[in-house]
Amino acid sequence: WRETLQFRILGSLSVVGNSRVAALGPPKQRALLAILLTRIGEVVPAERLIELLWGAAAPRTADHSIQIYVSDLRRALEPLGGSDRLVTRQPGYVLEVDPDSVDAWRFERLVKEGTRLLEDGDHDAGRSTIREALGLWSGPPLSDFPYEEFAQPVARRLTEGRLTAVEAYAAASLEAGRITEALDLLTAAVHDDPLRERARELLMLALYRSGRHAEALRSFHALRTQLTDEFGVDPSPSIRGLYDRILAHDPSLARGSLATPN
């Protein structure tokens, strides 16, 4: 079917449909929906839901609370035409929706598709597809649940996927001569993860190609200082090699000759 509901976890949890936003209720109830959204099509046993929602502090009434949450979520989704998407199936519950209606699932599909297009040499289509994927983000994934056990591994995977997508998009943008666009993305990516060498390498290249040679070199020194001070290690041979090529004003750094990924 073509899902009319749209589920969002790339930011805070929300559900929209039929020009409405669902009122998803109290935190535990919202968390239950978020758990099911990270496991679309998978029956999550009630016992596992209780464990994820309360841990060792689960009350004796936890099973009954789960039933109430499910009932209230169905009621909340009803005006949006989605009350039948949350299904009771022994030994627990399952969310039966089109994966593409969940922004995180759609993001990962689009990144995979865009990466394949880039690898096939269709740079315009690849960039467009990855740009669409990145446009789905409105904040840190599952930002309502930063300390919840169920959310942390999913959030880490999605955050890593976003950074990888930014790097792929920025590399393709540099290839296309869209240096300013690449610079904006890479500056933000390095700010978010200063020790991520691929993003740093691409940022150095973008700075060099925009004529900001000294800044490109300073970016390398900032990375090296942080790696040395915090971990006692040096930058990778790849990024050290790029530094040397920038110092030498290597003609191969001209547009159309990207640094090699680590």
Side-chain angles (χ1 to χ4, degrees):
W1 69 84
R2 179 64 179 174
E3 186 67 69
T4 57
L5 293 177
Q6 295 295 315
F7 300 87
R8 298 170 182 166
I9 63 173
L10 298 178
S12 60
L13 174 68
S14 66
V15 184
V16 298
N18 291 338
S19 301
R20 298 170 182 244
V21 178
L24 298 175
K28 293 290 187 193
Q29 184 169 301
R30 294 170 60 84
L32 188 152
L33 177 61
I35 291 168
L36 295 177
L37 279 170
T38 64
R39 296 163 170 81
I40 289 175
E42 174 187 338
V43 176
V44 183
E47 287 186 6
R48 180 60 175 155
L49 288 170
I50 291 170
E51 179 185 353
L52 290 171
L53 289 172
W54 285 281
R60 289 194 301 270
T61 57
D63 192 63
H64 181 60
S65 295
I66 293 286
Q67 294 173 21
I68 292 174
Y69 293 156
V70 169
S71 176
D72 287 349
L73 282 170
R74 286 174 178 150
R75 190 174 299 112
L77 295 176
E78 187 172 5
L80 285 68
S83 61
D84 59 341
R85 301 291 191 261
L86 182 48
V87 178
T88 302
R89 186 170 299 150
Q90 293 302 320
Y93 304 91
V94 58
L95 196 61
E96 294 186 341
V97 298
D98 179 356
D100 240 25
S101 69
V102 183
D103 58 0
W105 290 69
R106 180 173 173 78
F107 165 76
E108 292 184 314
R109 179 185 68 75
L110 287 169
V111 169
K112 184 176 180 181
E113 179 183 334
T115 301
R116 178 186 57 77
L117 288 166
L118 290 175
E119 289 172 351
D120 290 345
D122 192 345
H123 287 205
D124 287 343
R127 287 179 65 255
S128 177
T129 302
I130 294 179
R131 182 170 60 243
E132 181 183 352
L134 292 171
L136 295 171
W137 287 67
S138 62
L142 293 163
S143 60
D144 315 65
F145 316 102
Y147 306 111
E148 299 293 338
E149 175 193 341
F150 79 87
Q152 291 176 11
V154 177
R156 282 194 298 269
R157 187 191 80 238
L158 289 168
T159 300
E160 169 68 22
R162 182 183 181 278
L163 285 170
T164 301
V166 165
E167 290 163 354
Y169 182 81
S173 295
L174 283 172
E175 186 80 9
R178 304 177 69 92
I179 297 173
T180 301
E181 185 177 22
L183 267 174
D184 290 343
L185 281 171
L186 292 166
T187 299
V190 168
H191 178 270
D192 291 343
D193 189 347
L195 298 180
R196 192 174 177 91
E197 291 202 3
R198 178 56 175 163
R200 177 81 65 165
E201 189 174 20
L202 288 166
L203 175 60
M204 289 168 59
L205 186 60
L207 287 167
Y208 181 83
R209 288 188 179 171
S210 65
R212 296 156 66 180
H213 302 170
E215 288 181 63
L217 297 174
R218 284 198 296 270
S219 184
F220 172 83
H221 288 302
L223 171 66
R224 183 173 62 183
T225 298
Q226 192 167 359
L227 285 173
T228 302
D229 290 349
E230 295 187 19
F231 302 103
V233 299
D234 292 324
S236 69
S238 175
I239 198 168
R240 292 202 310 268
L242 176 61
Y243 174 79
D244 291 339
R245 291 162 67 197
I246 289 174
L247 273 177
H249 294 280
D250 187 335
S252 70
L253 295 179
R255 177 175 152 186
S257 183
L258 290 176
T260 303
N262 295 333

